[in-house]
Amino acid sequence: MHGLMMDTPLLISDLIRFADRNHGDTEIVSKTVEGDIHRYTYRDAHARARRLAKVVQGLGLKAGDRIGTLAWNGYRHYELYYAISGMGAVINTINPRLFPDQIVYISNHAENTALFFDLTFLPLVEKLAPQLKTVKHYVLMTDRAHMPAKSAIPKLLCYEDLMAQQDDGYEWPTFDEHTAAALCYTSGTTGNPKGVLYSNRSTVLHAYGAALPDALNLSAYDSVLPVVPMFHANAWSLPYTCTMVGAKMVFPGPHLDGKSVYDLIEQEQVTLSAGVPTVWLMLLQHLSANKVRFSTLNRTVIGGSACPPAMIRSFQDDYGVTVFHAWGMTEMSPLGTVGTLKAKQAKLDKEARYAVQAKQGRGIFGVEMKIVDEEGKELPWDGKRFGNLLVKGPWIAAGYLKGEGGDPLIDGWFPTGDVATIDADGYMQITDRSKDVIKSGGEWISSIDLENIAVGHPAIAEAAVIGIQHPKWDERPIVVAIKKPGQDVSREELLKFFEGKIAKWWMPDDVVFVEELPHTATGKLSKLTLRQTFSDYRLPTA
Ligand code: AMP
């Protein structure tokens, strides 16, 4: 027997239509590429997104077409999110920090018919355009005043000129909720990036999940600043989730240094922000160097790579900002778990609470998890046994665009490539990326645990731990670390700092101090690059 409820499709265009109706005067504030502040409301954004849908159609682009962007977090990028997905086409947000070859690969693989890009990326696009085989239209996301006098791109179009030629009399079409909406390529440390194709349905369901009180706890009370870029897993869905709940949005544009982010947080009374640990490192350094505090920020989402407990402590103890440690991946839209406390844990003493928060968090309804051993046998949720983490749910990828890499699923579960424990309360803790875990004497050492200890030392700014070949033990860990400006610590002192915090055989074999650590295009430590850099390094113990 079927239920007798309406079968209305879950469409992205309904998010912005709803925001216009219910939160029409709530602001969307952007710091532009040019450096000034742009302000308008959900009502204005909705009108402009409809106008933009007419622009896109006017260029001859149709439902199902893929349309690329190379853009920062800003209102025009937000309009593109809604115009493109709302008309039934697919927005392909390309990460401009990727190698040029990868950008070309992605655009050609997606068969993008148009490319919208910020002024910052004009030189890059001019260089790449001859190789972008499928792109017919190049649109610079600026106004007439900022258009270049001449460009290597013939028929370079101006976003605001195109907008001026249309009106906002556009009705969002209704279509199947499974229709593709957005396309993000995974960072892909090896091989070519692979395309993850979100649907309208998966995006709306994910936004519901992300907004839940035990996830990001978002509401119309909030002013939200996504530092995480709109080209990194849809800024962790904030452009959809904030629209769903009517939160004010604050876009930082390319201004991502500690001072700019801090000033914008204060000026726009931001209550929640989100980004990878490296960004927060810059912000925390700015706060301590200038002895300033937040007046409105009360929580921050930190994910993308493990958030060191020292960072959680600093935010909470020094600045009164609650940290939501979150885990996910591009293939998961991206949210999987968030580290919010249950009532029973809120009653624990501070150290015990911090131990819970250092984990990557509990699954959101919509994300089922399990851990399995090497043979695929399910492991218990005891917080001790660690194994390969698999996930399942309506906002998790079932495959990659054009079937690249074959069928990724194992009995209907998506293998995350992460190694984790899950405790009896459902809190998952990432031990490592399976490629990064250090195998010593047949046992595993967690590089994340060692990194967390290293950055807990007052003189260490950032640290990476990698495994180095060892004739007897297979691999042994070494710490590669950056010291904080004006602080000093010796190799021996840092090694001593590990004593009593880990099993003896986990003790790193060496410490190497460096000026800089390599990061990927999404701001994660690039262990791959680091392993290459240290390929000739010999352990003192070997
Ligand atoms: P991406 O799809 O580029 O966002 O990468 C996803 C991967 O980032 C995950 O599979 C994890 O290995 C890693 N990751 C994301 N969030 C966390 C976290 N909070 N702690 C540890 N690793 C994380």
Side-chain angles (χ1 to χ4, degrees), residues 185-188 196 198 232-233 236 276-277 302-307 324-332 334 337 358-361 389 414 416-419 428-434 436 448 520 522 524:
Y185 280 73
T186 55
S187 0
V196 179
Y198 311 106
H232 182 197
W236 301 349
V276 295
I302 306 183
S305 44
C307 176
F324 293 162
H325 191 188
W327 166 85
M329 52 197 311
T330 305
E331 289 90 333
M332 301 176 68
T337 60
K359 299 189 176 196
Q360 274 72 5
L389 176 63
F414 183 87
T416 62
D418 288 321
V419 176
M428 184 275 288
Q429 182 160 29
I430 302 270
T431 310
D432 244 320
R433 197 79 198 132
S434 58
D436 296 335
I448 294 181
T520 66
T522 47
K524 300 168 202 252

Side-chain angles (χ1 to χ4, degrees), residues 256-277:
L256 301 174
D257 58 287
K259 180 181 183 330
S260 303
V261 172
Y262 173 77
D263 289 348
L264 200 56
I265 286 175
E266 287 302 297
Q267 186 186 308
E268 299 305 325
Q269 305 199 316
V270 169
T271 55
L272 177 138
S273 189
V276 295

Side-chain angles (χ1 to χ4, degrees), residues 264-398:
L264 200 56
I265 286 175
E266 287 302 297
Q267 186 186 308
E268 299 305 325
Q269 305 199 316
V270 169
T271 55
L272 177 138
S273 189
V276 295
T278 20
V279 171
W280 299 134
L281 208 60
M282 290 193 290
L283 184 68
L284 288 172
Q285 275 169 6
H286 173 79
L287 295 177
S288 78
N290 295 280
K291 303 206 169 21
V292 285
R293 300 184 63 79
F294 298 112
S295 42
T296 53
L297 190 77
N298 54 47
R299 54 213 201 282
T300 182
V301 186
I302 306 183
S305 44
C307 176
M311 184 172 278
I312 303 181
R313 279 174 198 274
S314 183
F315 265 113
Q316 299 192 165
D317 293 353
D318 304 342
Y319 300 106
V321 176
T322 304
V323 169
F324 293 162
H325 191 188
W327 166 85
M329 52 197 311
T330 305
E331 289 90 333
M332 301 176 68
S333 301
L335 269 188
T337 60
V338 184
T340 41
L341 298 177
K342 297 184 184 180
K344 67 175 178 184
Q345 285 138 354
K347 294 193 197 106
L348 297 172
D349 68 42
K350 196 165 147 189
E351 289 310 308
R353 269 186 282 129
Y354 274 123
V356 177
Q357 284 192 293
K359 299 189 176 196
Q360 274 72 5
R362 285 181 284 136
I364 305 168
F365 178 75
V367 178
E368 224 185 309
M369 296 190 286
K370 69 172 177 181
I371 42 174
V372 300
D373 65 14
E374 295 291 293
E375 278 79 52
K377 199 163 110 311
E378 197 165 345
L379 295 170
W381 289 22
D382 60 8
K384 293 190 187 74
R385 303 281 298 278
F386 49 84
N388 296 314
L389 176 63
L390 288 92
V391 290
K392 193 179 186 171
W395 60 73
I396 294 165

